[in-house]
């Protein structure tokens, strides 16, 4: 019997080519689209056109499945998405932290709810159009994740949270290709989405205006506060903690005679601290909520030289990772890094581009 695989269909070129590749490899393929978010405001709905949460993307996914003659289903996870992703997104900003909703979506929606749905349908695997490599390493006795061939499109950073059980049932057919190759393949396969633009911003935020989105959802007025410099002097009023993130320069509304940046946020005191560019540098960080991939973990007190990514688009930095307790690591950079941001993920790699693990940044270690 053919092995059965459910492909998470977003209506874009990557998931569409994923479905074709797996069908051509002999799998029995089922396409499923998650309906995650639809605003009450028709204008807001219109501004979501093209994103993976939009209605037109569901229709694109359906048409692709029809052209491939494979079954198509749509599942409604709007309630779960609102609670597990959007609510988390809002609360993190209110705490003065910067969330990563794509990681939350992967953890809760794709590799929990949708994977369970795939297994319930009798499938052996869930496949997605992420750019990453995955295989079973006999030497380690573990499934591993490796950066994609196309380093500009690599998505290993947002997948560090996958467990061994989830990796056992997951396929990533695109990890060995470059995005230009995928578009050419989509054109050769006759897929109408071959030239569809990539989704760039957060799928549920119209026009990338997260501030208005948070304002609309907030049950209480967002409290204003004061900007301070690093010496404790008041510089002016700010609009509210959720509107700022570490390293931010634009939108501060301050004229100080020098380039000003957000260097710290204190949500309890409603303070945003402003400084110069060199004051945004950090020599390390602490991270919690750890997940290990290529290794089972470290012993408490053990250290390891690693390559470190503190945001999705950042180049890996060299540093040392020290396990302080079973769920807290200390990272010290070889050279100071700019704008370490609590709430974001930090992911650790070895010299061979394997994902060792990762966690959530909780504290910065200032220079």
């Amino acid at each position: 019997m053919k092995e059965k695989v459910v492909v998470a269909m977003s209506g874009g070129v990557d998931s569409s080519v994923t479905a074709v590749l797996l069908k051509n490899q002999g799998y029995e393929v089922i396409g499923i689209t998650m309906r995650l978010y639809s605003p009450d405001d028709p204008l807001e709905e219109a501004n979501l056109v093209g994103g993976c949460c939009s209605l037109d993307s569901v229709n694109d996914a359906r048409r692709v499945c029809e052209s491939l003659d494979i079954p198509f289903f749509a599942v409604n996870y709007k309630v779960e998405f609102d609670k597990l992703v959007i609510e988390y997104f809002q609360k993190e900003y209110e705490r003065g932290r910067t969330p990563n909703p794509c990681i939350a979506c992967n953890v809760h929606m794709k590799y929990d709810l949708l994977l369970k749905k795939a297994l319930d349908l009798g499938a052996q695997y869930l496949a997605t159009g992420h750019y990453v490599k995955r295989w079973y390493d006999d030497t380690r006795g573990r499934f591993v994740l490796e950066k994609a061939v196309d380093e500009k499109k690599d998505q290993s950073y947002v997948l560090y949270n996958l467990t061994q059980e989830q990796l056992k049932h997951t396929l990533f057919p695109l990890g060995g290709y470059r995005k230009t190759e995928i578009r050419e393949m989509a054109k050769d396969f006759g897929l109408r989405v071959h030239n569809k633009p990539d989704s760039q911003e957060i799928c549920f935020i119209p026009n990338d205006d997260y501030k208005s989105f948070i304002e609309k959802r907030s049950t209480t007025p967002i409290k204003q506060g004061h900007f301070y410099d690093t010496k404790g002097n008041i510089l002016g009023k700010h609009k509210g903690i959720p509107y700022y993130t570490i390293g931010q320069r634009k939108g501060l509304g301050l004229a100080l005679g020098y380039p000003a940046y957000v260097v710290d946020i204190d949500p309890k005191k409603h303070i945003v601290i402003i400084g110069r560019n060199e004051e945004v540098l950090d020599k390390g960080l602490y991270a919690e909520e750890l997940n290990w991939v290529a290794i089972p973990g470290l012993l408490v007190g053990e250290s390891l030289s690693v390559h470190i990514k503190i945001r999705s688009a950042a180049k890996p930095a060299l540093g040392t990772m020290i396990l302080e307790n079973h769920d807290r690591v200390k990272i010290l950079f070889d050279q100071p890094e700019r704008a370490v941001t609590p709430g974001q993920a930090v992911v650790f790699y070895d010299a061979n581009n394997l994902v060792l693990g990762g966690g959530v940044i909780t504290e910065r270690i200032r220079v």
Side-chain angles (χ1 to χ4, degrees):
M1 292 179 64
K2 292 182 179 180
E3 286 192 297
K4 186 183 294 186
V5 57
V6 164
V7 177
M9 303 289 289
S10 68
V13 63
D14 295 328
S15 60
S16 299
V17 171
T18 294
V20 178
L21 290 174
L22 291 172
K23 183 180 181 183
N24 290 347
Q25 290 171 20
Y27 288 95
E28 180 184 346
V29 179
I30 299 172
I32 294 186
T33 292
M34 296 184 292
R35 195 72 171 109
L36 300 177
Y37 177 72
S38 59
D40 298 327
D41 185 348
L43 180 60
E44 188 177 332
E45 176 83 49
N47 288 331
L48 288 174
V49 170
C52 60
C53 285
S54 65
L55 186 58
D56 68 311
S57 290
V58 177
N59 292 330
D60 282 341
R62 180 183 290 108
R63 284 189 284 264
V64 168
C65 288
E66 288 173 352
S67 71
L68 298 178
D69 193 27
I70 62 175
F72 172 80
F73 299 95
V75 290
N76 188 331
Y77 290 145
K78 295 178 185 177
V79 173
E80 294 86 348
F81 187 74
D82 188 86
K83 181 175 179 60
L84 298 171
V85 179
I86 297 180
E87 190 173 309
Y88 143 81
F89 176 84
Q90 180 179 353
K91 287 183 176 179
E92 284 289 273
Y93 268 114
E94 290 173 349
R95 293 175 62 192
R97 290 163 46 123
T98 303
N100 193 318
C102 292
I103 291 178
C105 184
N106 284 333
V107 169
H108 299 298
M109 312 311 298
K110 290 188 181 75
Y111 302 105
D112 184 12
L113 293 176
L114 191 57
L115 177 55
K116 288 176 181 176
K117 174 66 71 175
L119 297 177
D120 287 344
L121 290 172
Q124 286 75 44
Y125 302 104
L126 170 69
T128 66
H130 286 100
Y131 285 79
V132 68
K133 294 181 179 180
R134 161 264 189 208
W135 77 90
Y136 187 80
D137 187 325
D138 289 318
T139 303
R140 297 171 186 264
R142 299 177 68 83
F143 286 95
V144 296
L145 286 173
E146 182 188 351
K147 287 183 181 179
V149 167
D150 192 337
E151 194 161 350
K152 290 183 178 178
K153 298 299 295 183
D154 172 62
Q155 292 170 292
S156 59
Y157 173 87
V158 298
L159 296 168
Y160 81 89
N161 243 320
L162 290 180
T163 66
Q164 288 295 301
E165 183 63 23
Q166 290 167 333
L167 286 168
K168 177 181 177 182
H169 296 287
T170 306
L171 297 177
F172 301 110
L174 306 190
Y177 298 96
R178 298 189 180 279
K179 184 59 179 258
T180 52
E181 296 176 293
I182 295 300
R183 288 203 179 277
E184 283 300 316
M185 291 166 65
K187 189 175 181 180
D188 292 342
F189 293 147
L191 298 175
R192 66 192 302 273
V193 297
H194 70 89
N195 60 352
K196 185 175 181 178
D198 291 342
S199 179
Q200 297 291 338
E201 310 297 348
I202 299 171
C203 69
F204 56 87
I205 304 293
N207 300 320
D208 196 31
D209 186 0
Y210 82 90
K211 297 177 183 178
S212 295
F213 184 84
I214 291 174
E215 282 179 0
K216 185 177 292 187
R217 285 182 57 92
S218 181
T219 56
T220 58
I222 295 174
K223 186 176 178 180
Q224 296 183 348
H226 285 96
F227 288 117
Y228 280 74
D229 65 18
T230 54
K231 296 179 181 178
N233 300 307
I234 295 178
L235 301 176
K237 278 196 170 184
H238 67 67
K239 297 178 181 179
I241 293 296
Y243 300 143
Y244 305 96
T245 187
I246 303 296
Q248 179 177 334
R249 180 182 176 184
K250 295 182 179 179
L252 301 181
L254 295 171
L256 302 177
Y258 59 85
Y261 298 83
V262 175
V263 301
D264 210 352
I265 298 172
D266 187 338
K268 292 182 180 179
K269 296 180 180 179
H270 295 284
I271 290 173
V272 176
I273 300 174
I274 303 297
R276 298 173 185 270
N277 184 49
E278 59 269 20
E279 294 178 288
V280 189
L281 295 175
D282 298 296
K283 65 180 181 181
L285 61 87
Y286 291 97
E288 299 177 1
E289 300 177 46
L290 305 176
N291 183 64
W292 302 103
V293 182
I295 58 175
L298 300 176
L299 298 174
V300 174
E302 185 179 0
S303 64
L304 186 66
S305 295
V306 290
H307 297 250
I308 307 143
K309 286 190 74 168
I310 58 171
R311 58 182 62 87
S312 181
K315 290 184 177 180
L318 293 174
T320 301
M321 173 174 62
I322 307 156
L323 188 67
E324 294 213 321
N325 60 48
H326 75 284
D327 196 34
R328 178 180 168 94
V329 292
K330 180 179 182 180
I331 297 288
L332 295 174
F333 303 118
D334 288 358
Q335 299 293 330
E337 284 290 301
R338 187 178 183 280
V340 172
T341 309
Q344 288 282 291
V346 56
V347 180
F348 327 121
Y349 298 82
D350 70 6
N352 296 315
N353 292 327
L354 292 184
V355 177
L356 299 176
V360 178
I361 299 170
T362 56
E363 296 179 48
R364 304 154 64 202
I365 302 175
R366 306 298 297 275
V367 170

